[in-house]
């Protein structure tokens, strides 16, 4: 080889020798990452196995304890003392005899099997008490359920008892610890969580309670009961390339071995050829010593008397802070500056509660990006870490609070309002803000009680649409090919709504499903029957089974039958209630003051516990949490499923549950839907009042109006019930109008009730232009 060739070979070896340490270092770092993460992932796998074993052992323990109490009840019912008292027709003496031989038993009783007295005494008699009694009658054997009563929670047991004259139900309560000991006894691995659950409520928890939001995925049912053991643990340690534990460890060992071979075998050969040239290369310490000292750049001192530019204050309208969300007109009461202040106020509340992460999503309105940018800026200013979901329906934002375990979220939406409206639906600490909590956000801004972090929070983008679709389709699948037309009204549900229903198994025809914030085809409010005209026509033209309509942000649902009839949401709630109560006898079903008077009787007939409450999505969700309700609905089309879902209002999920009910019915979809379209009802009627002071007008109406021979309720506005119908007057919390609705058994009753209301309304304000 000539001198030039030798020189080039020498140069190549020198370059290889200089690059070798870097390559070896990178390999060692990757090997260490693989080995450590692989070991931790193996540990997590062992913990997961231990957790599943603990969950199963707890379920068995709870089942055995429950069965033992049921056997004790059966034995006590067969005792001579109890039988003699029942034969003598003395239920009080029988109740005392039942408890006498049963250590810890309390509130023992015997009731007629029709349970009429217990239903009449609601809510004092207790919804849970009725639930366990109804379940025992349905099962024909002793049944246990956890109930809340005076002094806390207890295990309630009930059993049907035939007597010589009529059937009765035996009821008793024992300490809750009788069955929770099965949960207490199992060993729990570190960083894990177990809970005994009934419906949507935790009865008892163990371990890291921050994991409660994800525990349902690993839940195991306690056999022969409506209890279950929920379980969760922290996500397994991430490994490079998402490898499992064994492949990660194997690759780590391979890289470590290769790095050692390069350093111990290849490097000496290169060094021997170079004759020490490599050793003469500067070390890291040498290079650092040669670098000049880094000096902080001097800051410019502000000259005496120099003033910084003053930021113009942002005007904020108290009126946009409504009863259950924030809503205003863009360019008048709402802009990016206001959105930033609202974001900082929400972030300040999160700071006080120790909450760091929040999801944000927006509907398809043209002002959405601007509002989102302002809101996120305010949240970050308060030090919160924002996960931007982009353009999604409001239910996907709520889903993100659970799926991403933030517990906090803001949906930027004007809902069904005109295009120039926008607003914010807010969740903090898994609670939807309403009432005083909304007012407090305004107070923070007005009083300058806004937290400003030393370092702004982070912002990232995340698409969870497919996770949402998979979560619903993983739970609901239909075998019956149903053809539906979906009208999204050019709202935010236009893309993901049909995707969900197709994933469930339906044949979907799309109508106005392209997202357009100007809503060019019709107003995105399925509560107004006029907005459903195109859907009715398309269902008929395509010979579809029925039609579904979503509002602007996808949290409300409207339905039309094949024959063109609009199924009002309170009638639709009847179908949902009957379905949910099949699996949850005695469960509380909530409905708002605008729903039909027939709903309560329908829920009772199906073994449920009806409860009327105020209108408003956040108010309903708060009441669901308070009562442990499994289902709720509003006349506006909001449906809230706690059974198998998360308890938030979701028009898309409600549509999937309706498909599931259709799939399991022996009737054609149109027959099933029209079976609940009875009586005479009006949609929501809106009334403009002088000065746009809807709340003031309703207060005056409540003070002046008199309705003889009727039952009045002032839960929300004024609702007046007669045996054959009812009427309602209340102030809207989203727009400055009075909302009215009427429902009756016949046209004659409807005419009579409306005339009574007409007289009373005109007595308050003779110049009113009534819409009926």
């Amino acid at each position: 080889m000539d001198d030039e060739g030798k020189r080039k070979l020498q140069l190549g070896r020198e370059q290889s020798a200089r690059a070798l340490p870097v390559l070896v270092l990178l390999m060692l770092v990757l090997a260490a990452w693989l080995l450590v993460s692989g070991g931790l992932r193996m540990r997590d796998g062992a913990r997961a196995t231990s957790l599943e074993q603990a969950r199963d052992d707890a379920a068995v323990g709870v089942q055995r304890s429950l069965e033992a109490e049921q056997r004790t009840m059966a034995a006590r019912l067969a005792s001579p003392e109890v039988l003699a008292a029942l034969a003598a027709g003395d239920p009080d003496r029988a109740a005392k005899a039942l408890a006498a031989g049963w250590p810890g038993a309390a509130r023992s009783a015997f009731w007629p099997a029709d349970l009429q007295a217990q239903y009449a005494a609601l809510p004092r008699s207790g919804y849970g008490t009725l639930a366990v009694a109804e379940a025992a009658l349905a099962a024909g054997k002793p049944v246990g359920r956890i109930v809340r009563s005076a002094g806390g929670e207890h295990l309630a047991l009930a059993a049907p008892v035939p007597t010589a004259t009529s059937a009765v139900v035996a009821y008793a309560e024992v300490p809750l610890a009788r069955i929770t000991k099965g949960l207490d006894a199992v060993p729990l691995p570190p960083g894990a969580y177990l809970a005994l659950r009934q419906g949507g409520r935790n009865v008892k928890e163990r371990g890291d309670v921050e994991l409660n939001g994800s525990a349902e995925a690993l839940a195991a049912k306690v056999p022969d009961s409506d209890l279950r053991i929920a379980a969760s643990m922290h996500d397994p340690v991430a490994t490079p390339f998402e490898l499992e534990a064994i492949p990660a460890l194997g690759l780590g060992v391979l890289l470590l071995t290769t790095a050692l071979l390069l350093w111990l075998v290849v490097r000496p050969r290169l060094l021997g050829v170079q004759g020490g040239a490599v050793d003469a290369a500067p070390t890291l310490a040498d290079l650092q010593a040669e670098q000049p000292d880094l000096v902080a750049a001097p800051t410019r001192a502000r000259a005496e008397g120099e003033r910084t530019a003053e930021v113009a204050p942002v005007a904020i309208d108290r009126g946009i802070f409504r009863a259950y969300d924030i809503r205003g007109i863009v360019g008048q009461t709402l802009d990016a500056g206001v959105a930033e202040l609202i974001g900082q106020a929400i972030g300040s509340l999160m700071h006080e509660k120790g909450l760091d992460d929040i999801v944000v999503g927006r509907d398809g309105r043209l002002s959405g990006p601007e509002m989102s940018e302002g809101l996120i800026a305010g949240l970050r200013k308060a030090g919160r870490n924002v996960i931007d979901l982009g353009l999604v329906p409001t239910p996907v934002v709520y889903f993100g609070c659970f799926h991403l375990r933030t517990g906090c979220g803001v949906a930027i939406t004007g809902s069904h309002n005109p295009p120039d409206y926008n607003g914010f639906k807010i969740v903090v600490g898994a609670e939807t803000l309403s009432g005083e909590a909304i007012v407090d956000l305004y107070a923070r801004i007005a009083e300058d009680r806004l937290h400003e972090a030393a370092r702004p929070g982070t912002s990232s983008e995340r698409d969870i649409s497919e996770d949402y679709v998979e979560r619903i389709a993983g739970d609901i699948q239909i075998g019956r090919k149903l053809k539906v037309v979906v009208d999204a009204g050019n709202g935010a549900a236009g893309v993901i709504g049909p995707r969900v229903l197709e994933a469930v198994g339906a044949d979907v025809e799309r109508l106005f499903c392209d997202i357009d914030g100007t809503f060019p085809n019709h107003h995105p409010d399925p509560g107004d029957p006029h907005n459903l005209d195109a859907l009715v026509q398309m269902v008929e033209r395509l010979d579809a089974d029925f039609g579904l309509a979503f509002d602007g942000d996808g949290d409300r649902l409207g339905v039309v039958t094949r024959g063109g009839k609009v199924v009002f949401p309170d009638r639709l709630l009847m179908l949902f209630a009957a379905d949910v109560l099949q699996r949850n006898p005695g469960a509380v079903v909530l409905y708002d003051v605008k729903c039909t008077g027939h709903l309560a009787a329908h829920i009772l007939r199906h073994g449920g516990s009806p409860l009327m409450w105020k209108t408003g999505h956040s108010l309903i969700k708060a009441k669901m949490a308070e009562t442990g309700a499994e289902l709720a609905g509003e006349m506006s089309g909001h449906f809230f499923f706690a059974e198998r879902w998360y308890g938030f209002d979701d028009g898309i999920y409600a549509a999937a549950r309706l498909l599931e009910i259709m799939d399991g019915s022996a009737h054609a979809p149109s027959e099933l839907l029209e079976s609940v379209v009875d009586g005479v009802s009006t949609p929501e009627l809106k009334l403009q009042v002088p000065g746009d002071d809807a709340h003031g007008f309703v207060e005056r109406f409540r003070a002046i109006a008199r309705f003889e021979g009727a039952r009045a309720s002032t839960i929300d506005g004024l609702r007046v019930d007669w045996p054959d119908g009812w009427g309602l007057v209340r102030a809207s919390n989203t727009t400055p109008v009075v909302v009215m609705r009427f429902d009756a058994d016949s046209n004659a009753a409807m005419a009579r009730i409306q005339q009574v209301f007409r007289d009373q309304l005109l007595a308050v304000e003779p110049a009113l232009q009534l819409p009926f």
Side-chain angles (χ1 to χ4, degrees), residues 400-420:
C401 295
F402 292 90
H403 183 66
L404 301 179
R405 300 178 183 176
T406 66
C408 301
V410 179
I412 303 169
T413 174
S415 188
H416 59 281
N417 288 106
D420 54 345

Side-chain angles (χ1 to χ4, degrees), residues 103-247:
R107 199 192 170 192
S108 55
F110 285 86
W111 302 317
D114 59 15
L115 299 174
Q116 289 300 321
Q118 283 63 49
Y119 276 113
L122 285 173
R124 182 174 52 82
S125 59
Y127 292 109
T129 297
L130 274 172
V132 70
E134 290 280 13
L137 289 169
K141 62 181 182 179
V143 170
R145 183 181 174 89
I146 297 162
V147 301
R148 291 174 178 158
S149 59
E153 293 188 318
H154 301 82
L155 172 63
L157 295 110
V161 182
T163 67
T165 56
S166 63
V168 296
V169 180
Y171 179 86
E173 293 177 0
V174 298
L176 183 61
R178 295 278 179 88
I179 62 168
T180 58
K181 61 185 180 182
L183 180 70
D184 297 330
V186 297
L188 189 63
Y193 170 83
L194 278 181
L196 176 62
R197 291 182 173 176
Q198 179 176 266
R201 183 167 58 91
N202 286 323
V203 177
K204 186 164 187 179
E205 299 175 289
R206 286 186 59 197
D208 188 350
V209 295
E210 292 185 357
L211 297 170
N212 63 356
S214 59
E216 203 58 41
L218 287 178
K221 182 177 173 58
V222 176
D224 298 323
S225 76
D226 60 355
L227 301 172
R228 64 192 185 283
I229 303 294
S232 184
M233 62 180 293
H234 290 287
D235 291 335
V237 172
T239 59
F241 320 118
E242 299 183 357
L243 295 172
E244 293 299 324
I246 297 302

Side-chain angles (χ1 to χ4, degrees), residues 282-295:
T283 65
L284 177 61
D286 295 334
L287 291 173
Q288 290 175 330
E290 293 173 3
Q291 298 299 314
D293 292 336
L294 296 177
V295 180

Side-chain angles (χ1 to χ4, degrees), residues 45 70 84 144 225 262 286 293 310 373 463 561 565 574 604 654 761:
Q70 291 169 338
S225 76
L262 288 174
D286 295 334
D293 292 336
E310 294 184 359
E373 183 178 350
D463 182 0
T561 70
K565 294 182 179 179
M574 291 181 177
L604 286 170
L761 287 164

